[in-house]
Amino acid sequence: AGTRCDARVGAAGGAPRGWSRRGGVDLRDGALVLLGGATPDGTDRAVWSLPMGARPTWRRLDGAADALPRSGHALPWDPVGCGFVVVGGRCSDQTWLIRPEGGGVREALLGTVQLDGEARGLGREGAGLALDVARRTLVAVAGASCDTSGATVRSSALIELR
């Protein structure tokens, strides 16, 4: 009938504590990368990497402090920019490209989203996101608003990457 995959990776150093982190696979080397989220001390600025191999070990990467702290963001891999596009999240209207390199992270601000009316910026938590690689465009849909009302944003945004 169906296919079942059940695998566990025993990583040295233990996984980083916290919740609501976003992760993706670095397609250059297969490493799992986590960033943002929350800890008991507040919103996290850390970027973590778990390279796959014989002895996977969690490493905290230096850098990316300007792109974070962030929670509720989206994190698609950009094969053209060879990095992760960090979009949206709690009260953030900036879009970043972060690229893990060696023991650190290089970062570049791609832009600040300015939209009309209800969709002021992408400062929305949990927005749906799709990356159109061929057109170098991100499509963001809905999410929770940045204010304290908890209202849902009912608009979408097209973000052109350069």
Side-chain angles (χ1 to χ4, degrees):
T3 302
R4 181 185 162 137
C5 179
D6 187 15
R8 295 178 187 240
V9 177
R17 68 186 185 123
W19 58 92
S20 297
R21 296 183 188 279
R22 297 297 189 259
V25 175
D26 186 332
L27 295 181
R28 298 170 301 167
D29 62 9
L32 173 64
V33 175
L34 298 178
L35 72 152
T39 69
D41 301 323
T43 306
D44 195 2
R45 292 181 176 270
V47 178
W48 294 86
S49 176
L50 180 64
M52 294 297 143
R55 293 187 41 112
T57 303
W58 282 104
R59 295 180 310 152
R60 183 178 176 148
L61 304 178
D62 296 325
D66 290 336
L68 304 169
R70 199 174 289 239
S71 66
H73 54 284
L75 186 70
W77 174 260
D78 177 8
V80 176
C82 291
F84 294 96
V85 180
V86 184
V87 181
R90 190 78 184 142
C91 300
S92 177
D93 60 358
Q94 295 179 332
T95 301
W96 291 82
L97 177 72
I98 64 166
R99 184 179 304 132
E101 293 183 356
V105 177
R106 291 182 51 110
E107 61 197 42
L109 178 63
L110 297 178
T112 301
V113 180
Q114 299 295 329
L115 302 172
D116 295 330
E118 182 184 18
R120 288 184 297 256
L122 264 186
R124 32 187 149 165
E125 197 164 358
L129 186 93
L131 173 61
D132 182 339
V133 176
R135 292 185 179 92
R136 304 285 299 139
T137 303
L138 293 161
V139 180
V141 182
S145 69
C146 187
D147 63 26
T148 57
S149 71
T152 300
V153 177
R154 292 183 178 90
S155 60
S156 60
L158 293 176
I159 306 161
E160 207 172 291
L161 300 178
R162 299 194 169 115

